[in-house]
Amino acid sequence: MELVGRVAVGVASYSFEPRDRAADLATIRVGIAAGTAILDTARAYAHVDVPLYGEELAAEAAQGTNVIVGTKGGHSRTGTSSWDADISDVRIRSDVETSLGVFGGEHLDLYYLHRVDLAEQPVEEGVSTLASLRDEGKVARIGLSNVSVAELERAEAVARIDAVQNRHTAMGRESADVLAWCEAHDVPFFAYSPLRSSAAAPHLTAVANARGVSVQRLQLRALLASSPVLSVVSGATRPETVLDSLAAESEPWDEDLEAAYAADLALVGPR
């Protein structure tokens, strides 16, 4: 599947002001030039005075390329430190139309309901709307973000889900149950905020030091190796860290690295 086994370049961290837009755009383009296949953005990845900042960055960076862009709606910044959550039919249709205006194409590659966990409306309402938009040709793929297994089951009863995005770190495995559901249903899973400090992974850190690479790269590599449906979203905001994240795709996965990861997981214990 084209949505699995990859490192996506995410722009969530670009939503914290102040930002240098030219530098942000250049950083994303470094990732594209290095071969990333996926950009990840959202309506909520914005600034108070620039409400479409994250989508506009992704749209400009991806213009003229074959990069898949995933974006999200039903959740947006309402103030310096406040956001809303609304997956009603009216709101999702409005957000999709806004995103279509930003990206300028006939359809959006991948569109998620962003905060299923915070919305007052039932997941069925938002999914039904996205399914209709997919049928109308405005959205190519539909996804859910910040979702539980129970909500996924309810969503799948309404329409086929094409992707899931939840927080899931190499050491915490916070969404192990959701990932297992995705494996059972052959649904691509994107792990966001995938990294923990090197202190949480001493064995991976030792291997990283021996190889002369970052422990962050090895954490991403371990996640990619952990599931046949998993991709990761890198929140790197500098060219060098974007390139380091993308290098996880080609980092050798051998017995030493596998054993180190198993040893670190044993320190964490069962979830």
Side-chain angles (χ1 to χ4, degrees), residues 87 116 119-128 144 147-161 181 185:
I87 59 172
V116 174
E120 294 183 0
Q121 299 80 11
V123 66
E124 290 89 346
E125 181 173 355
V127 171
S128 178
L144 301 178
V147 66
S148 68
V149 169
E151 289 162 337
L152 279 167
E153 293 284 1
R154 289 164 50 197
E156 270 283 315
V158 175
R160 184 189 79 253
I161 302 302
W181 186 95
H185 293 79

Side-chain angles (χ1 to χ4, degrees), residues 72-76 84-87 91-92 95 111-112 114-115:
K72 312 175 192 73
H75 179 54
S76 61
D84 68 358
D86 180 354
I87 59 172
R91 172 61 179 273
I92 295 304
D95 282 0
Y111 199 87
Y112 297 90
H114 196 163
R115 292 308 302 250

